[in-house]
Amino acid sequence: MQEAASPRKTSAVRSHAATALAALVISNVALAFGPLFVRLSDVGPVAGGFWRIALAAPLLLGLSTLLGERPVRAAQGLWGLLAVAGLAFAADLASWHIGIGFTTLANSTLFGNCATLIFPIYGFVVARMWPTRIQALALALAAIGAALLMGRSASLSPRNLTGDLFCLLAGVLYALYFILMARARERLAPLPALALSSLASIPPLLLLALGLGETVWPGNWWPLLAMAVVSQLIGQGCLIYALGHLTPLVVGIALLIQPAVASALGWVVFDERLAAADAVGAVLVALALVLVRGGSKPERVASGVEAPKSA
């Protein structure tokens, strides 16, 4: 006779799910504050990205070492791949931070997360398969929503449209980063992979900031420290934990928290009010983010590539 499931085991599973859900909410709220810290810092946008990684990467590496994962030894034979991934992430962060200065916080958050839509397209190409109906609907909604948001930005100012395009480019680069990281994670655990690729992002960010003539050394450290702790350590850390315990649909729905929080911050701090077209466009893009995650049947696409995490 088959034994009944242990109440203790069921309780533990529920406990993990509840903890992961709480971590997911915390993650998305924390990540939504990133654009605000970029604007409040007194360094250039690319320099802000440099400090976000430079302050957080040593802590990530130390934590990975303390957990006994030996990241340096485990990465043998992967240094070239990690270096290219770090360069892609540096370009993503630089493009996103530049775009944040020219568009609304809500738009920057939505377009910065477009890797969630772009990444499945890569899966379709590699697997040589058509998207599901839900995924095709998601891509169509995203295109309509993006057109509405960009149209509104263009009517406000060419600078706003430029900001949208920079954030959209950041989303493309973020998708490239995860394509590369998926290969690295075939042999590396998530934390050491994140730590080592982050270290590889530091030199290009610093060189680019200096090349652009940005102010690199801050007079006010708190926005940069907040960016490193809130965005990189808490935001990414909670997200990595939650992804191991929740379905893609739940993660996709939670993404709605980011633009909502960013919109509220933009309204309160910078008086960025959403017009009707902005609201409709944001809802369509957010709905597309949910559908494209919930509509994918496998957790992985071709070649073992995992679904991307938000920025």
Side-chain angles (χ1 to χ4, degrees):
M1 183 175 66
Q2 189 175 14
E3 295 183 1
S6 168
R8 183 175 299 177
K9 182 178 293 187
T10 302
S11 176
V13 171
R14 289 177 179 174
S15 176
H16 277 302
T19 303
L21 186 60
L24 185 62
V25 173
I26 292 170
S27 166
N28 280 279
V29 172
L31 290 169
F33 275 81
L36 175 64
F37 297 140
V38 172
R39 287 198 186 176
L40 294 179
S41 68
D42 58 1
V43 299
V46 179
F50 160 74
W51 285 114
R52 167 180 165 170
I53 302 301
L55 293 171
L59 295 176
L60 289 170
L61 187 62
L63 179 60
S64 177
T65 303
L66 286 175
L67 292 174
E69 293 178 335
R70 298 181 179 180
V72 176
R73 179 180 297 180
Q76 289 182 1
L78 294 174
W79 291 110
L81 182 62
L82 289 169
V84 177
L87 182 61
F89 186 63
D92 153 55
L93 211 55
S95 182
W96 189 49
H97 282 199
I98 291 172
I100 287 168
F102 295 118
T103 189
T104 63
L105 296 191
N107 279 21
S108 68
T109 306
L110 281 168
F111 287 124
N113 276 312
C114 75
T116 305
L117 292 163
I118 296 169
F119 201 75
I121 297 175
Y122 164 77
F124 304 149
V125 173
V126 172
R128 298 180 181 180
M129 60 183 292
W130 290 101
T132 65
R133 291 181 180 179
I134 293 179
Q135 290 168 333
L137 175 61
L139 295 173
L141 291 176
I144 296 170
L148 286 172
L149 290 169
M150 289 187 180
R152 268 284 298 165
S153 291
S155 67
L156 292 174
S157 166
R159 286 169 56 89
N160 287 61
L161 179 58
T162 299
D164 286 349
L165 292 174
F166 266 109
C167 292
L168 186 59
L169 173 60
V172 175
L173 291 166
Y174 200 49
L176 173 61
Y177 165 72
F178 274 102
I179 290 170
L180 296 168
M181 286 298 290
R183 295 183 60 187
R185 286 183 58 179
E186 291 175 1
R187 289 176 48 190
L188 278 178
L191 188 56
L194 177 62
L196 293 173
S197 64
S198 296
L199 286 175
S201 300
I202 295 175
L205 283 168
L206 178 58
L207 291 174
L208 182 57
L210 293 173
L212 292 173
E214 292 186 356
T215 299
V216 174
W217 193 260
N220 183 13
W221 280 96
W222 84 260
L224 300 175
L225 290 169
M227 197 187 311
V229 173
V230 176
S231 298
Q232 196 69 13
L233 296 179
I234 297 178
Q236 293 289 350
C238 288
L239 185 62
I240 288 174
Y241 171 78
L243 286 171
H245 299 278
L246 300 173
T247 65
L249 179 58
V250 173
V251 175
I253 292 174
L255 281 175
L256 301 178
I257 297 172
Q258 282 193 53
V261 173
S263 297
L265 290 172
W267 179 32
V268 172
V269 181
F270 302 109
D271 197 30
E272 296 176 354
R273 300 176 184 272
L274 292 180
D278 293 319
V280 173
V283 168
L284 289 177
V285 173
L287 181 59
L289 293 176
V290 174
L291 289 176
V292 82
R293 283 175 175 268
S296 74
K297 295 178 181 178
E299 290 286 331
R300 295 171 179 258
V301 294
S303 301
V305 177
E306 295 181 352
K309 295 81 178 170
S310 53

